C-alpha cells in the first residue's frame, strides 16, 4: 500500500474516490440532511406550502407527538420486524441451517439443491413475490392457502382482510428465511471439525455442543446478520405496499408506508420529512452498532 | 420415537434412497445409529416442506402465464398457450416496459462499475488519513434505505430536473448500491498482490497503465460481482421509480406491474403473469450464473473481509 505524499497523490486519490463520493453525497447524504431541514418547514406539494414554504420550528415534531397514526406505524413496524426478521428469518434460519450443515456424524445429501430452491423467493423481484402471494393468499375458497385449509376441513380464511399483518409477516419470513439458512449453514460448516470432535470426546451432548461451542463461535456473524436483516426489515416498502397498500384500514401501515402516504398522497412534504427523520434516527442507532461490529475487521 | 424406530427399516425398504445407505443395514447397528437415521428422515421431511413452501407461490405465476383464460387463482390451464408472451413482446406497452427496465438497469450497472472500481482501487492501494473512516462511513450509508430518504430525494430530483428522466433514475439507482459495491471491489483489489503492479512500474508503465492493464483484469470477478449487484438492485427497485417516474412511457416493469395490479378491474391476469415471468428471467439467470460469487461477497459483507 502506498502512503499518500504530496498534492499529486492526494489529487489522484480524490479523483478515484470522487464518482462514488458524488453519488452517495448527492443521493443519500444530501437527502438525509435535507430531510432534517425540511422537517422544520410546512412545505407541501399543493396549496400555499408549495409556493411559499415557511419555517415552522418544531411544529411538525409537536404534531408527531399527538399523531396516533405515527405511533401506530412505529408499533406495527416493531411487531413486523420482531416477528418476521428476528424470529422468522434469524431464529428459524439458524435452526434449519443446523439441519443442513455438515458436521461429524451428520451429513445430508442434496443440500446444494435445497439451497438453490430455498433461494428462489429472494431471487425474484419483490413485486413478483407480492403478486404471487396475492394469488396464494386470496380470500375466496379458490385461493391456494384456503384450498390447503379445506383439505384439513378448515377455512376459508380471508387472509389479506382479516389477518393482513400475520400474512405479511409470513410473506417476509418466506422471502428472507432462505438467505439466513444458506448463510448460516456455511457458517456452521466453518466451525473446525477438530473442535467439534474434541467436544464429543469430552462427552458433550449435541445440544451442549450447539450451545457451548458452535453458537459462541459464530456469535459475531449471527449478530451482524441479525442487525442487517432488522435494518432491511424496518425500512421495507415494496413487498408490503404492493400486497396491501398499508390496509385494510391501516392494519399493515408500516413506517415506510406511512411516510409515503403522508408525503405523496397527502402531499405534506414537511411533515413527511419529520417522520423520515425519526426513521433515520432509528436506523442510525442500529447502523452505529453495525459499524462498531465491523470495525474490528478493517 | 419408539414407533419411528420400529417403522424405520420398513420405510427404508419401501423406498431405497441413496440417502439411507449408511443406515439401512438393519440389525447390525446399535440404537444410536438408528436414532440418527430417524432424525435424518425428519430433517429431510423438514427440508422438503420448506422447499415446497419456497416454490408454491410461484405456481400461479407460471401456470397463469400459460393459460389462455387465466384468473387470479391457481389452476391447470384448460387450454395451454404462449399467446400471453407473444402479446407482451408484440404490444407497444410491453416492449416499452422491458426496454425501460433494461435502460435503467444497464445504465446503473455501468455507472456503478465505474464508480466502485475507481474507489475500490484507491482504497486498496493508497494509505491516507480517513481511509478507514471512509470505509466505515460507507457502511453507515448502507443502512439508510430509500424509504428514509425518498421524500427529500423527490424534492432534490425535482430541483435538479431529474424527474421522469432516464439519466436521473440511473444515477440514483446506481448510488443505492455504491456502499456494498465499493466494499466488494476493495476486497477483490486486496487479493491482487502489489508486487505484480510494481513489476509493471519497473517496466516503465505509469500507475494508471498498470492499474488498467494488469490489476483490473485480475480483479475481474470483483467487477462481475459489482455489476451483478448493480443490475439486480436497479432491475428490482420499486419505491424510487414509483415516486420519481410518473410518465407512462418511462416507467420500468416493476411499476407497470403495479399499475396493472391496482387497476383491478379488467386485469388481464395471463398477461400480468407473463410479464412477471419475463421480469423474473434476467434476475434468475444472473442469480444462477453468479450465485457463488454473490454468496461469497454477501458472506464477505457479513464477515467484513
Amino acid at each position: 500500500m502506498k502512503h499518500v505524499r504530496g498534492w499529486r497523490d492526494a489529487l489522484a486519490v480524490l479523483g478515484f474516490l470522487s464518482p462514488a463520493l458524488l453519488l452517495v453525497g448527492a443521493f443519500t447524504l444530501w437527502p438525509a440532511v435535507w430531510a432534517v431541514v425540511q422537517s422544520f418547514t410546512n412545505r407541501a406539494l399543493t396549496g400555499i406550502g408549495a409556493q411559499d414554504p415557511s419555517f415552522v420550528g418544531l411544529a411538525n415534531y409537536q404534531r408527531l407527538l399527538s399523531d396516533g397514526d405515527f405511533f401506530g406505524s412505529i408499533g406495527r413496524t416493531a411487531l413486523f420486524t420482531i416477528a418476521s426478521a428476528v424470529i422468522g428469518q434469524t431464529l428459524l434460519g439458524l435452526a434449519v441451517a443446523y439441519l443442513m450443515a455438515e458436521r461429524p456424524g451428520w451429513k445430508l445429501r442434496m443440500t446444494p439443491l435445497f439451497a438453490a430452491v430455498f433461494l428462489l423467493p429472494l431471487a425474484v423481484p419483490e413485486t413478483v413475490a407480492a403478486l404471487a402471494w396475492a394469488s396464494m393468499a386470496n380470500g375466496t375458497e379458490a385461493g391456494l392457502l384456503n384450498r390447503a385449509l379445506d383439505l384439513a376441513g378448515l377455512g376459508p380464511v380471508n387472509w389479506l382482510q382479516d389477518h393482513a399483518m400475520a400474512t405479511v409477516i409470513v410473506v417476509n419470513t418466506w422471502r428472507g428465511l432462505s438467505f439466513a439458512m444458506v448463510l448460516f449453514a456455511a457458517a456452521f460448516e466453518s466451525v473446525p471439525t477438530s473442535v467439534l470432535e474434541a467436544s464429543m470426546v469430552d462427552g458433550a451432548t449435541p445440544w451442549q455442543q450447539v450451545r457451548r461451542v458452535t453458537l459462541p463461535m459464530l456469535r459475531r456473524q449471527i449478530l451482524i446478520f441479525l442487525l442487517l436483516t432488522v435494518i432491511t426489515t424496518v425500512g421495507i416498502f415494496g413487498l408490503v405496499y404492493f400486497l396491501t397498500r398499508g390496509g385494510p384500514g391501516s392494519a399493515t401501515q408500516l413506517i415506510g408506508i406511512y411516510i409515503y402516504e403522508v408525503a405523496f398522497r397527502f402531499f405534506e412534504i414537511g411533515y413527511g420529512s419529520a417522520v423520515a427523520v425519526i426513521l433515520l434516527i432509528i436506523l442510525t442507532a442500529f447502523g452505529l452498532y453495525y459499524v462498531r461490529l465491523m470495525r474490528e475487521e478493517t | 420415537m419408539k414407533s419411528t424406530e420400529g417403522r424405520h427399516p420398513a420405510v427404508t425398504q419401501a423406498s431405497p434412497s441413496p440417502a439411507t445407505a449408511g443406515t439401512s443395514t438393519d440389525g447390525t447397528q446399535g440404537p444410536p445409529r438408528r436414532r440418527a437415521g430417524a432424525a435424518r428422515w425428519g430433517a429431510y421431511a423438514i427440508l422438503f416442506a420448506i422447499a415446497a413452501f419456497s416454490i408454491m407461490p410461484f405456481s400461479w405465476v407460471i401456470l397463469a402465464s400459460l393459460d389462455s383464460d387465466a384468473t387470479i387463482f391457481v389452476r391447470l390451464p384448460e387450454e395451454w398457450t404462449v399467446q400471453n408472451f407473444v402479446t407482451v413482446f408484440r404490444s407497444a406497452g410491453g416492449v416499452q416496459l422491458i426496454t425501460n427496465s433494461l435502460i435503467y438497469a444497464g445504465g446503473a450497472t455501468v455507472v456503478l462499475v465505474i464508480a466502485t472500481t475507481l474507489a475500490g482501487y484507491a482504497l486498496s492501494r493508497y494509505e491516507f488519513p480517513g481511509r478507514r473512516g471512509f470505509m466505515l462511513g460507507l457502511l453507515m450509508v448502507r443502512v439508510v434505505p430509500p424509504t428514509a430518504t425518498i421524500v427529500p430525494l423527490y424534492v432534490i430530483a425535482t430541483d435538479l430536473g431529474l424527474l421522469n428522466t432516464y439519466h436521473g433514475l440511473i444515477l440514483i439507482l446506481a448510488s443505492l448500491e455504491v456502499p456494498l459495491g465499493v466494499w466488494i471491489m476493495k476486497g477483490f483489489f486486496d487479493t491482487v498482490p502489489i508486487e505484480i503492479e510494481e513489476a509493471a512500474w519497473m517496466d516503465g508503465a505509469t500507475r494508471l497503465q498498470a492499474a488498467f492493464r494488469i490489476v483490473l483484469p485480475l480483479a475481474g470477478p470483483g467487477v462481475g460481482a459489482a455489476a451483478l449487484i448493480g443490475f439486480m438492485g436497479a432491475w428490482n427497485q420499486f419505491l424510487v421509480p414509483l415516486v420519481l417516474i410518473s410518465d407512462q412511457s418511462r416507467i420500468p416493469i416493476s411499476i407497470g406491474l403495479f399499475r396493472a395490479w391496482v387497476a383491478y378491474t379488467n386485469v388481464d391476469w395471463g398477461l400480468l403473469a407473463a410479464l412477471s415471468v419475463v421480469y423474473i428471467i434476467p434476475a434468475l439467470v444472473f442469480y444462477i450464473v453468479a450465485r457463488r460469487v454473490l454468496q461469497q461477497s454477501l458472506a464477505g459483507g457479513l464477515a467484513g473481509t
Side-chain angles (χ1 to χ4, degrees), chain A residues 22-298:
Chain A
L22 276 176
L23 285 173
V24 167
F27 302 122
T28 304
L29 295 180
W30 182 233
V33 172
W34 203 231
V36 177
V37 173
Q38 286 193 326
S39 68
F40 297 113
T41 71
N42 65 351
R43 182 158 188 153
L45 288 182
T46 56
I48 184 124
Q51 280 141 28
D52 188 20
S54 57
F55 182 75
V56 295
L58 289 169
N60 284 326
Y61 292 96
Q62 272 163 354
R63 188 175 149 197
L64 269 184
L65 287 178
S66 55
D67 182 353
D69 288 341
F70 164 69
F71 285 106
S73 76
I74 294 272
R76 279 185 290 271
T77 306
L79 171 69
F80 179 75
T81 305
I82 291 168
S84 69
V86 180
I87 297 173
Q89 294 178 8
T90 310
L91 291 184
L92 226 75
L94 270 172
V96 184
Y98 186 68
L99 289 182
M100 286 174 72
E102 187 181 339
R103 61 183 173 276
W106 181 264
K107 180 172 172 25
L108 294 184
R109 312 226 169 192
M110 297 183 296
T111 47
L113 185 69
F114 278 120
V117 173
F118 290 166
L119 280 169
L120 274 177
L122 196 68
V124 304
E126 58 186 351
T127 38
V128 176
L131 198 58
W133 269 94
S135 165
M136 178 105 165
N138 187 284
T140 63
E141 285 169 6
L144 203 55
L145 277 183
N146 280 341
R147 271 192 259 171
L149 276 189
D150 192 46
L151 290 180
L154 301 167
V157 173
N158 205 339
W159 299 101
L160 288 168
Q161 286 299 316
D162 301 336
H163 305 281
M165 186 49 116
T167 307
V168 294
I169 286 171
V170 170
V171 174
N172 194 43
T173 303
W174 166 82
R175 191 162 156 84
L177 178 64
S178 52
F179 188 49
M181 286 187 300
V182 174
L183 271 187
F184 286 145
F188 277 133
E189 286 179 2
S190 73
V191 174
T193 315
S194 56
V195 176
L196 295 178
E197 277 166 352
S199 75
M200 279 157 87
V201 171
D202 290 342
T205 64
W207 174 239
Q208 283 172 331
Q209 195 181 57
V210 172
R211 266 204 56 194
R212 301 275 167 79
V213 182
T214 313
L215 287 182
M217 285 184 81
L218 301 178
R219 192 181 149 269
R220 246 187 93 252
Q221 271 165 290
I222 294 169
L223 211 54
I224 290 175
F225 174 84
L226 186 62
L227 270 172
L228 279 180
T229 180
V230 162
I231 288 165
T232 315
T233 309
V234 168
I236 206 167
F237 178 81
L239 190 67
V240 177
Y241 187 75
F242 197 106
L243 256 179
T244 68
R245 262 160 285 156
S250 55
T252 54
Q253 195 172 65
L254 306 173
I255 186 155
I257 298 178
Y258 187 57
I259 292 172
Y260 177 84
E261 297 267 294
V262 168
F264 301 113
R265 237 184 81 200
F266 301 109
F267 305 130
E268 295 191 78
I269 296 292
Y271 190 54
S273 297
V275 184
V277 168
I278 303 295
L279 177 58
L280 276 171
I281 291 171
I282 295 171
L283 290 170
T284 307
F286 284 121
L288 284 173
Y289 189 37
Y290 169 58
V291 169
R292 226 186 75 186
L293 282 173
M294 296 290 280
R295 200 175 186 151
E296 298 153 27
E297 302 286 335
T298 45

Side-chain angles (χ1 to χ4, degrees), chain A residues 2 109 135 147 235 242 297, chain B residues 44 72 74 125 127 147 303:
Chain A
K2 188 178 177 191
R109 312 226 169 192
S135 165
R147 271 192 259 171
F242 197 106
E297 302 286 335
Chain B
Y44 278 118
I72 180 81
V74 179
R125 289 299 192 250
E127 179 60 72
T147 328

Side-chain angles (χ1 to χ4, degrees), chain B residues 12-244:
Chain B
T12 52
Q13 272 162 24
S15 57
S17 148
T20 59
T23 54
S24 59
T25 51
D26 46 345
T28 57
Q29 288 168 352
R33 276 305 281 272
R34 271 206 214 162
R35 207 175 309 139
R40 196 157 294 162
W41 277 105
Y44 278 118
I46 292 171
L47 294 187
F48 268 112
I50 297 173
F53 183 56
S54 298
I55 298 176
M56 200 160 58
F58 297 119
S59 56
W60 174 78
V61 182
I62 307 294
L63 289 174
S65 73
L66 296 168
D67 194 332
S68 61
D69 186 25
T71 63
I72 180 81
F73 306 115
V74 179
R75 60 162 209 176
L76 279 180
E78 280 164 23
E79 198 184 323
W80 297 80
T81 177
V82 292
Q83 187 56 43
N84 294 320
F85 290 96
V86 174
T87 313
V88 166
F89 286 108
R90 281 272 172 81
S91 68
V95 173
Q96 183 78 68
L97 286 177
I98 296 164
T99 313
N100 288 345
S101 273
L102 285 173
I103 292 173
Y104 293 130
T109 307
V110 172
V111 173
L112 184 75
V113 164
I114 294 172
T116 57
T117 304
L118 292 173
Y121 179 80
L123 291 165
S124 170
R125 289 299 192 250
Y126 288 95
E127 179 60 72
F128 54 93
R131 190 183 68 91
R132 204 157 152 254
F134 185 84
M135 293 291 291
L136 293 174
L138 279 178
L139 289 182
M140 221 33 229
V141 172
R142 186 187 166 191
V143 309
V144 178
T147 328
T149 53
I150 192 69
V151 181
L153 202 55
Y154 174 81
V155 178
I156 290 168
T158 311
D159 291 346
L160 296 177
L162 296 178
L163 282 192
N164 284 315
T165 63
Y166 286 116
H167 60 275
L169 189 58
I170 284 172
L171 290 175
I172 293 169
L173 290 174
S175 79
L176 296 177
E177 308 298 335
V178 163
L180 187 58
V182 170
W183 269 75
I184 289 174
M185 284 309 302
K186 190 236 172 214
F188 275 98
F189 279 125
D190 283 347
T191 64
V192 180
I194 186 92
E195 288 77 19
I196 296 178
E197 215 175 341
E198 283 167 347
W201 300 344
M202 297 293 184
D203 294 342
T206 67
R207 200 167 173 113
L208 268 183
Q209 280 171 339
F212 272 100
R213 299 218 187 117
I214 313 289
V215 184
L216 195 55
L218 287 172
V223 175
L228 184 80
I229 61 156
F231 188 91
M232 299 278 285
W235 185 258
N236 295 348
Q237 240 301 319
F238 175 68
L239 174 62
V240 179
L242 180 69
V243 170
L244 298 186

